[in-house]
Amino acid sequence: MAEKKKMGLTTKIFIGLLVGLVVGVVFNLFVPHCYVRDTVFVEGIFYVIGQGFIRLMKMLVVPLVFCSLVCGASAIGDTKSLGKVGGKTIVFYLCTTALAVTVAISVATVIRPGIGLNMASIQTAEVTTAEATSAADTLLNIIPDNPFNSLANGTMLQIILFALIVGILLAKMGERANMIANLLNQCNDLMMEMTMLVMNLAPIGVFCMIARTFANLGFDAFVPLLKYMGSVVIGLGIQCFIVYMVLLLIFTRLNPMVFLKKFFPVMAFAFSTSTSNATIPMNIDTLDEKIGVSRKIASFTIPLGATINMDGTSIMQGVAVVFAAQAYGMQLGLKGYLTVIATATLASIGTAGIPSVGLVTLSMVFASVGIPVEAIGLIMGIDRILDMLRTAVNITGDAVCTTIVAHQNGDLNKEVFYSNNVDEDDE
């Protein structure tokens, strides 16, 4: 008698997501507001377990990113190769982000989501404002004055720079630094094991987060903002399924459909958690085991992308600018749109990969073209759903870039990519 196949983690996460969606909709439509519904379940059990899981994932981020980048940089070896890979990666990330904002503005200009909006019918909310930073300060802020403070505060760009310097010097010192290199490699392995331990809780965490989200969203809240949502979704779809896949096909000649099929579980996990940082380990593992990307490349480019590559967030910001400008009767013009593209691209650099952070950096983009920051309150009510979608696009952009860079560097195994491992369950 054949042994029954064990259900994999990916399958469990999908089940948690779907069951959470059904439970959330049932709570929203059929369970009346009361103490048990609102306090015990929605803001009690669902909230505590869901946020507890997110905190566990965030707990892993700083040590995981630091160890992964140090090991990745030292594994690549010489400074010349590292500079070549890093340069290509950063240029690609910035170009796709600028392209994403352009796509968003084009879509929103055609759909015109803010025209005819009844401003009196929309509730505004208090918004956290991000202060604009000069270009000089932005560059200086990348350099940590105290790397331990950066690690403690989770200042990702400073952590990345410090980790790269450590990795490069470890590679340069060779045998003299074997003890430290081995220690950091063991720390990296430890963080991967800890990540898998936490990931075993993912189905429960995903269920609670999705259930709470849909329990709180009333369908009436969607009505005045459907055009805005549609514009963002179309922009995200164009970026993810057309722009990325065309780039993948042009630069690697890989089959985009195979890539999407193998990478889809990572996209689904990013959708459910709304945090790019939480997907870092799953992203690296999928690229290594199913796409055929060398782990030394993925360990370098994926944590970097989770920090500086926010194409999905930039699309939301591009559409939000057009939406708010039209709602307030403002004419931006070519200069205004170019300013938005530049500001949104720069604002994505160093943005924390955590839920809804795009709303904070959006205040910088609004301020750059004179749109009232209070306008962000118009879209806060529906941002959670869009945040899920744009996070999935963010991490897909990281993976496509990583695959392209690995191919150009000779670190892509096409036999793994075309092997039939997509149906294997994760243990």
Side-chain angles (χ1 to χ4, degrees), residues 140-148 150 157-159 161-162 165:
L140 288 173
N141 286 339
I142 298 175
I143 304 171
D145 52 6
N146 185 336
F148 295 102
S150 303
L157 279 181
Q158 296 181 0
I159 293 171
L161 179 63
F162 182 64
I165 293 172

Side-chain angles (χ1 to χ4, degrees), residues 42-43 61 77-78 80 110 127 133 147 150 184 199 230-231 235 250 291 302 308 321 325 342 348 367 370 389:
V42 177
E43 301 302 328
V61 169
D78 63 288
K80 184 178 179 182
V110 172
V127 180
T133 307
S150 303
L184 287 170
M199 284 294 292
S231 300
I250 290 174
I291 306 297
I302 293 301
I308 70 171
V321 165
S348 70
L389 291 171

Side-chain angles (χ1 to χ4, degrees), residues 248 252 254 259 287 291 293 399-407 412:
L248 184 72
T252 68
L254 295 176
F259 179 90
L287 287 170
I291 306 297
V293 173
V400 169
C401 172
T402 297
T403 305
I404 292 173
V405 170
H407 172 73
L412 177 66

